[in-house]
C-alpha cells in the first residue's frame, strides 16, 4: 500500500511537470510508442503486456526531465510487477488500461494538468482497487486448492 502511494506521488508530480516542460516532439514520441503498444496488444504474452505498461508509465514520467524520479518509478515497477500482473490478466483489463493511457496522454498533449492528473489519479486508483480485489481472489484460490 505504501509503495503504491509513493508511485502515485511520483507519477502525479512528473505528470504536472510534463504538462509544463515536455516538448511537443517528446509527447509525440510517447504517443507513437503507445500506438505501437495498442497495435501489438492482442498478440502480447503477459510479460510483454507488463513491459508495455511499464514502458508507457516510464516514458511518460521521463517527459518531466527528472531522471531521479524516473529511476525511482522504475524501481517501484520492478517491486510491484506481480501485483500489477493480476490487474492485466484479462483482455478487458488490458484494453481498459491502454484506453486510459490514451486519455492521459491526450490531456498531457493539451497541457491540461488538472485533467491529466485527475485521469491519472483515477487510473492508478482503479488499478489499486482492482489489484486488491484480484489479490484477495488469487489468494483464496491458492488456499482453496490446497484444502481440496
Amino acid at each position: 500500500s505504501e509503495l503504491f502511494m509513493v508511485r502515485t506521488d511520483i507519477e502525479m508530480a512528473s505528470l504536472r511537470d510534463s504538462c509544463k516542460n515536455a516538448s511537443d516532439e517528446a509527447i509525440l514520441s510517447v504517443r507513437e510508442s503507445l500506438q505501437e503498444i495498442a497495435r501489438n496488444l492482442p498478440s502480447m504474452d503477459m510479460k510483454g503486456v507488463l513491459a508495455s505498461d511499464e514502458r508507457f508509465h516510464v516514458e511518460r514520467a521521463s517527459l518531466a526531465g527528472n531522471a531521479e524520479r524516473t529511476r525511482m518509478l522504475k524501481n517501484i515497477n520492478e517491486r510491484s510487477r506481480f501485483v500489477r500482473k493480476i490487474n492485466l490478466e484479462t483482455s478487458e483489463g488490458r484494453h481498459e488500461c491502454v484506453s486510459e493511457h490514451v486519455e492521459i496522454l491526450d490531456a498531457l498533449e493539451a497541457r491540461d494538468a488538472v485533467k491529466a492528473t485527475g485521469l491519472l489519479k483515477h487510473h492508478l486508483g482503479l488499478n489499486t482497487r482492482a489489484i486488491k480485489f484480484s489479490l484477495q481472489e488469487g489468494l483464496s484460490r491458492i488456499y482453496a486448492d490446497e484444502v481440496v
Side-chain angles (χ1 to χ4, degrees), residues 11 32 55 61 66 72 79 98 100 126 131 134 137:
E11 291 222 39
E32 289 169 350
R55 178 174 145 198
N66 185 322
M72 291 172 69
R79 294 167 57 195
V98 171
E100 290 174 359
L126 278 180
I131 287 167
S134 296
E137 185 176 302

Side-chain angles (χ1 to χ4, degrees), residues 30-31 91 103-104 129-130:
V30 174
R31 181 169 300 285
S91 176
E103 291 175 357
I104 293 164
R129 286 189 295 280

Side-chain angles (χ1 to χ4, degrees), residues 4-136:
F4 284 100
M5 289 171 45
V6 172
R7 177 186 176 202
T8 299
D9 292 346
I10 290 169
E11 291 222 39
M12 295 290 279
S14 69
L15 185 54
R16 280 190 298 272
D17 289 351
S18 295
C19 284
K20 289 185 272 186
N21 303 327
S23 70
D24 293 339
E25 295 79 17
I27 294 171
L28 178 60
S29 176
V30 174
R31 181 169 300 285
E32 289 169 350
S33 178
L34 184 56
Q35 289 169 341
E36 178 188 341
I37 290 168
R39 275 193 308 273
N40 295 321
L41 192 64
S43 63
M44 284 184 195
D45 62 8
M46 181 51 69
K47 189 174 184 177
V49 170
L50 284 168
S52 295
D53 179 57
E54 290 175 15
R55 178 174 145 198
F56 169 77
H57 284 272
V58 168
E59 286 179 355
R60 203 245 344 115
S62 70
L63 294 173
N66 185 322
E68 182 60 22
R69 217 187 262 151
T70 302
R71 185 194 64 73
M72 291 172 69
L73 180 60
K74 287 179 182 179
N75 178 275
I76 290 169
N77 283 341
E78 290 171 12
R79 294 167 57 195
S80 63
R81 192 169 289 136
F82 169 76
V83 177
R84 287 181 309 97
K85 176 184 174 193
I86 294 168
N87 192 41
L88 295 170
E89 282 183 331
T90 67
S91 176
E92 179 183 313
R94 294 174 188 187
H95 289 288
E96 182 178 343
C97 183
V98 171
S99 293
E100 290 174 359
H101 288 173
V102 169
E103 291 175 357
I104 293 164
L105 197 57
D106 289 344
L108 169 59
E109 195 169 43
R111 309 298 177 158
D112 188 340
V114 172
K115 183 176 182 179
T117 56
L119 289 166
L120 180 62
K121 187 174 182 180
H122 176 76
H123 174 68
L124 295 176
L126 278 180
N127 285 346
T128 301
R129 286 189 295 280
I131 287 167
K132 284 180 182 177
F133 175 77
S134 296
L135 194 52
Q136 288 170 341

